[in-house]
Amino acid sequence: MKPAFVIGILGAESTGKTLLSSTLRDALSTGGRRVAVVSEYLREFCDLQGRTPIEAEQAGIAAEQSHRIDEAAQTHDIVIADTTALMIAVYSEIVFGDTSLYASAIEAHRRCGITLLTALDIPWQADAHQRDGPHVREPVDALVRAALLKAQLPYAVVSGSGERRLESALLAVKHALDESSSEDEARANPLWKWVCERCGDANCERHLLPRIG
């Protein structure tokens, strides 16, 4: 079975990650694709406990988020992760000054075929235990970008509201899916990767011709 294509959605609080996850699932569930959304375990934790986690609980929450993504990837073609362990690492630094979760979070995040970063262009809204206020969005956004850049993990910024936000995400996802398919085809048909001795163009149609002599 081909490994699932994982879409990691990151972003500061109240930037539409959960809504984007569900609308992306609906848009990508075509042609028999099996698409799963892995919801944010931190939200589930806060709802169950009636509070935000303490520092010692952060690592376990990050590990559970990664586990659920990996589990969904075993039975689906596309997995949409409504945040990854990297967001837990960022909030651990913001709230507790703890940077120890970054290494494992980055390693887990590398399985994402694309990372979508939700922009800060929609209004902040309160959400029970989980949100600290609009003043933390810019620092969180900056830390997420810095972590991705340091790890050399490319990302696409998703902006706009409503349908425009979905269109922005779909444009990036479809491009990444096309690139993923091209890489699979190249591995299955190495002939396409031969470099033409005459023109040096790896995409030259001469690659399709049989070699003589």
Side-chain angles (χ1 to χ4, degrees):
M1 179 179 174
K2 180 182 176 182
F5 184 86
V6 179
I7 302 167
I9 302 182
L10 305 179
E13 60 185 44
S14 192
T15 53
K17 297 186 294 297
T18 299
L19 177 60
L20 181 60
S21 297
S22 63
T23 54
L24 263 181
R25 176 191 56 206
D26 295 342
L28 294 173
S29 296
T30 59
R33 284 174 174 162
R34 297 167 300 171
V35 183
V37 171
V38 177
S39 59
E40 184 181 17
Y41 177 61
L42 174 60
R43 180 185 298 275
E44 180 181 329
F45 177 95
C46 291
D47 288 343
L48 287 172
Q49 301 295 328
R51 60 174 176 82
T52 56
I54 61 175
E55 183 176 357
E57 294 167 325
Q58 292 286 91
I61 292 170
E64 180 62 20
Q65 186 74 31
S66 297
H67 170 71
R68 293 187 179 193
I69 293 169
D70 289 341
E71 191 172 52
Q74 295 176 19
T75 54
H76 294 82
D77 302 309
I78 298 176
V79 174
I80 302 168
D82 180 6
T83 79
T84 72
L86 186 53
M87 288 308 307
I88 307 300
V90 166
Y91 279 110
S92 286
E93 180 175 4
I94 287 281
V95 177
F96 303 110
D98 175 20
T99 60
S100 66
L101 302 185
Y102 276 110
S104 59
I106 287 293
E107 188 60 32
H109 194 87
R110 290 192 188 281
R111 72 139 15 258
C112 295
I114 185 172
T115 299
L116 302 179
L117 177 62
T118 48
L120 307 181
D121 57 345
I122 58 177
W124 181 87
Q125 295 180 354
D127 182 17
H129 303 285
Q130 243 184 309
R131 294 180 178 168
D132 298 312
H135 62 284
V136 304
R137 296 207 301 180
E138 288 189 10
V140 167
D141 182 78
L143 284 177
V144 172
R145 291 171 186 258
L148 291 170
L149 288 171
K150 183 178 180 180
Q152 297 183 326
L153 292 170
Y155 62 92
V157 177
V158 177
S159 60
S161 59
E163 288 296 319
R164 291 187 62 184
R165 207 171 189 83
L166 175 61
E167 289 170 4
S168 175
L170 279 174
L171 184 64
V173 169
K174 289 180 177 179
H175 178 71
L177 282 169
D178 287 344
E179 283 192 340
S180 177
S181 296
S182 297
E183 290 173 1
D184 290 340
E185 182 179 341
R187 284 191 290 269
N189 302 284
L191 184 65
W192 284 90
K193 283 297 184 180
W194 292 353
V195 177
C196 177
E197 66 276 8
R198 295 184 180 181
C199 67
D201 182 358
N203 295 314
C204 177
E205 64 182 8
R206 289 174 181 267
H207 296 205
L208 295 178
L209 299 175
R211 292 193 170 191
I212 301 176

